[in-house]
């Protein structure tokens, strides 16, 4: 299949041959071949609808092999390649969660903020906001939570408003908290 893919390089047939090799490598559990062929797909066919899914699959494979740095690289790559905002948000949230588990709170915060910026529908926006607010509440005192969430209060996001209102109550900004919680 790889020889076929090389012979028909830069054509639909070549792309399909690489995809078939990628799927076969995944099924066989051959991670190195999966990574090699996946990167070839991304490099040779950057406009393909398949490349975001390929990068995401490589990221998931790297997570299962505890190759976290590699996984984050593939997840970030997939989020940049994808042309579907909901998929970009999901990939960024996954990358943020992984960064949190690796105690990279700054990286997680950045991923969640990018996800929030890209979220188009209310459900995706709320999910990204919840991740960001959870992280802020776990890692900062109430005044820090207010600093983190206050710039995100517009446009109105119920998750942010509720968390911000509670943090404002904790720091004594009761009038502003009341406005957030109404």
């Amino acid at each position: 299949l790889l020889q076929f893919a090389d012979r028909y390089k830069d054509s639909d047939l070549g792309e399909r041959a690489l995809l078939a090799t990628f799927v076969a490598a995944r099924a066989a559990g051959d991670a190195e071949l999966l990574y090699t062929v996946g990167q070839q797909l991304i490099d040779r066919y950057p406009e393909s609808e398949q490349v975001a899914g390929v990068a995401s699959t490589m990221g998931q494979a790297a997570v299962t092999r505890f190759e976290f740095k590699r996984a984050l690289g593939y997840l970030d790559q997939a989020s940049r390649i994808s042309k579907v905002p909901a998929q970009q948000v999901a990939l960024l949230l996954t990358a943020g969660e992984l960064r949190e588990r690796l105690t990279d709170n700054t990286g997680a915060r950045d991923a969640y903020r990018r996800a929030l910026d890209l979220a188009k529908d209310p459900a995706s926006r709320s999910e990204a906001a919840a991740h960001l607010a959870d992280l802020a509440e776990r890692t900062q005192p109430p005044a820090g939570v207010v600093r983190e969430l206050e710039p995100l209060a517009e446009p109105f996001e119920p998750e942010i408003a509720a968390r911000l209102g509670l943090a404002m109550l904790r720091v004594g900004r009761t009038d502003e908290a009341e406005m957030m919680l109404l």
Side-chain angles (χ1 to χ4, degrees):
L1 278 173
L2 288 175
Q3 289 174 345
F4 188 86
D6 284 339
R7 185 177 317 139
Y8 294 97
K9 188 177 180 180
D10 299 326
S11 73
D12 189 46
L13 286 173
E15 179 184 359
R16 282 193 248 164
L18 278 180
L19 279 169
T21 305
F22 180 80
V23 170
R26 180 177 172 203
D30 187 341
E32 290 310 314
L33 182 60
L34 178 92
Y35 298 148
T36 301
V37 172
Q39 196 58 55
Q40 285 178 5
L41 272 162
I42 292 167
D43 294 342
R44 287 186 191 174
Y45 305 98
E47 298 302 316
S48 170
E49 294 177 10
Q50 305 299 320
V51 292
V54 166
S56 176
T57 299
M58 293 182 340
Q60 293 166 1
V63 167
T64 63
R65 295 173 47 90
F66 303 104
E67 298 173 332
F68 299 122
K69 185 176 181 180
R70 180 179 261 181
L72 287 169
Y74 289 137
L75 290 170
D76 287 341
Q77 186 177 29
S79 72
R80 287 189 309 273
I81 292 171
S82 176
K83 294 171 180 68
V84 180
Q87 185 181 38
Q88 290 175 312
V89 169
L91 289 162
L92 287 167
L93 293 179
T94 300
E97 290 169 355
L98 182 54
R99 283 187 167 87
E100 271 193 81
R101 288 186 192 112
L102 298 171
T103 66
D104 176 8
N105 293 331
T106 301
R109 183 176 295 111
D110 291 344
Y112 296 151
R113 283 178 173 245
R114 286 185 9 232
L116 191 59
D117 289 342
L118 291 170
K120 302 292 183 206
D121 63 280
S124 293
R125 201 166 154 70
S126 182
E127 185 177 6
H131 276 78
L132 183 61
D134 285 343
L135 177 64
E137 289 172 343
R138 279 194 306 277
T139 61
Q140 298 181 50
V145 174
V146 170
R147 277 192 306 278
E148 179 85 29
L149 300 182
E150 202 164 25
L152 305 174
E154 293 295 327
F156 180 76
E157 166 56 49
E159 185 74 33
I160 294 290
R163 306 281 187 106
L164 179 58
L166 293 172
M168 286 175 160
L169 277 175
R170 291 184 192 113
V171 296
R173 292 172 56 181
T174 55
D175 290 341
E176 293 168 283
E178 184 180 350
M179 294 302 292
M180 285 289 140
L181 295 171
L182 287 180

